[in-house]
């Protein structure tokens, strides 16, 4: 072979090697470049503690995985209301989300355990229930029934009633009251037991529903109601404290299984940090928000004798127990 032919063949070999090196280099993840992206959906604004907790989760996962897993947080119901978010998690079209227990209940009954009226005495009681054996059993049931995995508990607080001008303090005040409630069998049953006319409406429609008098009242924790500026049109807060609003930070099992063992550990660790922080904020918000609204927003805050209300909603426990295999879990919460 002449020198020219040898040079031509050598050039071809060099080009071939260079091409292989380029292909191999392209297949190796660059440091800090996300290889997996998860979408996290929720219904609150970017100012709410739930959103900030989701961002904390995202930062914690990014740090622990050296940027290989990215979580994109989508607030303001961009991917739908809570029922739609839960459905997306079940189908795997949404990776992660934050969903209220009384909405999860529509898919797995035990998910709404802490949403039973007057079952939870205070925040500390709620956290003991959620972090203990009862909470683990509920998590197991949710995963088995829905293929959605809880990775932590969040909370929006303890619920009150918002009205334009009339306080709601007695059973007589509830009679015929059109009140917006979440899409939750327990919440509907609770307000029927009180004599009201509960109307399930998506969270994002509460403001206009109250403004246009589709409903007479709304109910939710004070900070959540403030998040949608409800106190612009509702100037009376009745402290019924009827339900503790437990929520779940969730991941679709399909998305969870896509993660490596190290990435799963990172997610669970970061999730724990974020949810513990968020709970602390909610405890503080419950009292400071009421005080702030009273002093600075012209909201009239009315105390309520809840004993007659608790008696009226007692039958809700028995009906709910039929959907979760008896009173065992409910009794365990009461005794804790």
């Amino acid at each position: 072979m002449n020198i020219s032919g040898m040079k031509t063949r050598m050039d071809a070999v060099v080009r071939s090697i260079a091409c292989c090196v380029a292909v191999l280099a392209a297949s190796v993840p660059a440091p800090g470049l996300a290889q997996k992206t998860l979408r996290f959906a929720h219904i609150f604004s970017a100012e709410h503690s739930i959103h900030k907790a989701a961002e904390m989760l995202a930062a914690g996962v990014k740090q622990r995985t050296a940027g290989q897993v990215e979580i994109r947080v989508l607030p303001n119901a961009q991917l739908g209301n809570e029922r739609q978010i839960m459905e997306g998690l079940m189908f795997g079209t949404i990776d992660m989300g934050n969903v209220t227990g009384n909405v999860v209940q529509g898919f797995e009954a035990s998910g709404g355990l802490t949403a039973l009226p007057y079952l939870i005495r205070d925040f500390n009681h709620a956290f003991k229930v959620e972090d203990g054996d009862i909470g683990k059993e509920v998590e197991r049931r949710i995963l088995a029934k829905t293929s959605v995995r809880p990775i932590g508990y969040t909370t929006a607080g303890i619920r009150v009633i918002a009205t334009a001008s009339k306080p709601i303090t007695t059973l007589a005040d509830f009679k015929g009251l059109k009140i917006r409630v979440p899409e939750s069998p327990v919440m509907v049953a609770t307000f029927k037991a009180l004599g009201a006319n509960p109307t399930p409406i998506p969270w994002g429609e509460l403001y206009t529903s109250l403004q246009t008098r589709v409903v007479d009242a709304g109910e939710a924790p004070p900070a959540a109601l403030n998040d949608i500026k409800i106190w612009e049109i509702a100037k009376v807060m009745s402290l019924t404290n009827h339900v503790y609003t437990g929520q779940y930070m969730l991941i679709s099992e399909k998305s969870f299984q896509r993660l490596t063992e190290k990435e799963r550990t990172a997610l669970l660790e970061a999730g724990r940090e974020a949810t513990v922080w968020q709970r602390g904020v909610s405890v503080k918000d419950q009292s400071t928000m009421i005080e702030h609204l009273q002093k600075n927003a012209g909201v009239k805050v009315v105390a309520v004798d809840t004993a007659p209300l608790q008696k009226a909603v007692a039958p809700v426990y028995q009906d709910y127990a039929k959907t979760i295999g008896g009173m065992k879990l409910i009794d365990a919460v009461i005794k804790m």
Side-chain angles (χ1 to χ4, degrees):
M1 181 181 294
N2 58 35
I3 293 175
S4 176
M6 289 180 64
K7 185 175 184 302
T8 300
R9 297 188 70 178
M10 285 295 291
D11 287 346
V13 169
V14 169
R15 284 196 299 271
S16 178
I17 292 172
C19 186
C20 290
V21 169
V23 169
L24 286 170
S27 67
V28 176
L33 183 64
Q35 297 301 301
K36 296 170 185 173
T37 300
L38 305 176
R39 296 191 304 166
F40 187 112
H42 67 83
I43 64 170
F44 297 101
S45 76
E47 286 73 46
H48 196 278
S49 63
I50 292 294
H51 180 78
K52 292 174 183 176
E55 288 189 321
M56 183 182 292
L57 166 75
V61 169
K62 182 177 182 179
Q63 188 272 326
R64 287 173 170 83
T65 64
Q68 296 299 298
V69 179
E70 177 187 4
I71 297 176
R72 289 180 54 220
V73 184
L74 302 168
N76 292 311
Q78 291 181 48
L79 299 186
N81 60 39
E82 288 196 309
R83 177 181 57 78
Q84 292 165 330
I85 291 171
M86 188 65 188
E87 289 171 345
L89 291 166
M90 291 171 67
F91 294 133
T93 55
I94 296 175
D95 301 296
M96 298 191 70
N98 188 89
V99 180
T100 306
N102 50 33
V103 174
V104 175
Q105 183 215 352
F107 301 88
E108 161 49 40
S110 65
L113 177 63
T114 58
L116 277 173
Y118 299 108
L119 178 65
I120 297 297
R121 296 186 293 274
D122 52 36
F123 284 108
N124 286 336
H125 183 213
F127 300 160
K128 285 179 182 177
V129 170
E130 292 169 341
D131 294 340
D133 291 341
I134 298 171
K136 289 182 175 59
E137 172 61 16
V138 170
E139 292 171 31
R140 184 193 67 76
R141 293 188 187 193
I142 292 171
L143 177 59
K145 184 73 174 288
T146 68
S147 295
V148 177
R149 179 183 292 268
I151 66 167
Y153 290 92
T154 57
T155 179
I158 298 170
R159 301 174 90 89
V160 299
I161 292 178
T163 49
S165 58
K166 180 186 176 183
I168 306 299
T169 60
T170 68
L171 282 173
D173 293 330
F174 280 98
K175 189 172 182 180
L177 181 75
K178 290 185 293 182
I179 184 167
R180 177 270 171 191
V181 296
E183 298 176 78
S184 159
V186 162
M187 294 297 282
V188 170
T190 295
F191 282 96
K192 282 185 176 179
L194 291 169
N197 179 15
T199 306
I201 294 175
W203 176 247
E205 298 174 25
L206 172 55
Y207 188 102
T208 54
S209 296
L210 191 58
Q211 187 178 45
T212 58
R213 301 191 179 182
V214 171
V215 293
D216 305 314
E219 60 77 52
L225 289 166
N226 189 62
D227 193 50
I228 60 169
K229 306 185 188 304
I230 204 70
W231 305 114
E232 293 176 349
I233 57 173
K235 292 300 183 181
V236 178
M237 181 196 305
S238 300
L239 300 179
T240 48
N241 298 330
H242 48 283
V243 166
Y244 164 79
T245 309
Q247 302 183 323
Y248 299 91
M249 188 174 280
L250 303 160
I251 183 168
S252 168
E253 188 63 8
K254 289 181 180 179
S255 300
F256 189 74
Q257 292 302 326
R258 282 173 38 218
L259 303 177
T260 66
E261 198 64 41
K262 277 190 174 182
E263 290 166 347
R264 292 176 192 174
T265 299
L267 180 77
L268 295 174
E269 288 178 352
R272 178 62 182 170
E273 286 183 2
T275 52
V276 167
W277 174 84
Q278 193 279 329
R279 281 166 154 188
V281 171
S282 285
V283 172
K284 183 179 178 181
D285 278 352
Q286 186 77 23
S287 57
T288 58
M289 182 60 67
I290 292 173
E291 185 178 343
H292 166 76
L293 291 167
Q294 200 169 16
K295 288 182 177 179
N296 303 307
V299 175
K300 181 180 180 181
V301 178
V302 182
V304 178
D305 177 7
T306 63
L309 309 186
Q310 293 181 47
K311 185 176 180 180
V313 300
V316 176
Y317 286 40
Q318 293 295 334
D319 290 339
Y320 176 73
K322 295 172 186 175
T323 69
I324 59 168
M327 286 288 294
K328 184 178 179 181
L329 282 178
I330 297 171
D331 287 339
V333 173
I334 293 170
K335 292 174 184 175
M336 183 170 282

